[in-house]
Amino acid sequence: TFYSVSGGPFGSEPTVSLSSPLWAILGYLLFPLLWSVPESLIVAELSTAYPERSGFVAWVEEAFGHRAALVEGYLSWFSGVCDNSLYPVLFLQYLISYVGNGDLSVESDGEVDLLSYNILTRWLMLSVMITVLSYLNYRGLNIVSNTSIFICLLSLMP
């Protein structure tokens, strides 16, 4: 459920420019206390009450029946597919902003930054990222957690 409610650091840059740094920092400090702590307590309580691998699908089935649990499972899977498909694109956009020009404008010598412009290059880079991350997921939970920590630390670097 974490990725359903948190996108991580991606997209947080406009917060400071749209408000002030003080409000952005207060928001980032208060929001976890007001939202994430109560949600964590609810999930912890339900997880101990229903210690099954199906998680919130079991909770919905207990409360609303089999049909609602089926819909919940499908909608959660669909949400995961849609949400997780955005992360390689966001990562590539950050990579372009660090390595390449970052915008699609023509540089002073008249050449366009190929990393930003060439659709085939972007498609190949996204395909490689998706293939590598899918392989890591196939390898197991330990390597996924270690890779997630590494990517998180890498994305938080200035």
Side-chain angles (χ1 to χ4, degrees), residues 6-7 14 19 57 63 77 102 116 134 143 146:
S6 173
S19 65
V57 175
W77 171 80
S116 298
S134 297
I143 194 164
N146 292 336

Side-chain angles (χ1 to χ4, degrees), residues 50-115:
Y50 301 100
E52 299 180 24
R53 290 187 177 180
S54 56
F56 47 86
V57 175
W59 311 337
V60 171
E61 184 174 17
E62 183 69 26
F64 302 110
H66 181 70
R67 183 170 294 187
L70 179 68
V71 171
E72 169 61 30
Y74 174 74
L75 291 177
S76 296
W77 171 80
F78 186 72
S79 171
V81 167
C82 293
D83 188 50
N84 289 331
S85 66
L86 297 175
Y87 293 122
V89 176
L90 285 170
F91 179 75
L92 181 62
Q93 194 62 34
Y94 273 96
L95 184 66
I96 288 171
S97 69
Y98 284 127
V99 176
N101 187 5
D103 58 3
L104 298 178
S105 62
V106 177
E107 296 177 2
S108 60
D109 59 357
E111 293 184 17
V112 176
D113 183 16
L114 288 179
L115 187 60

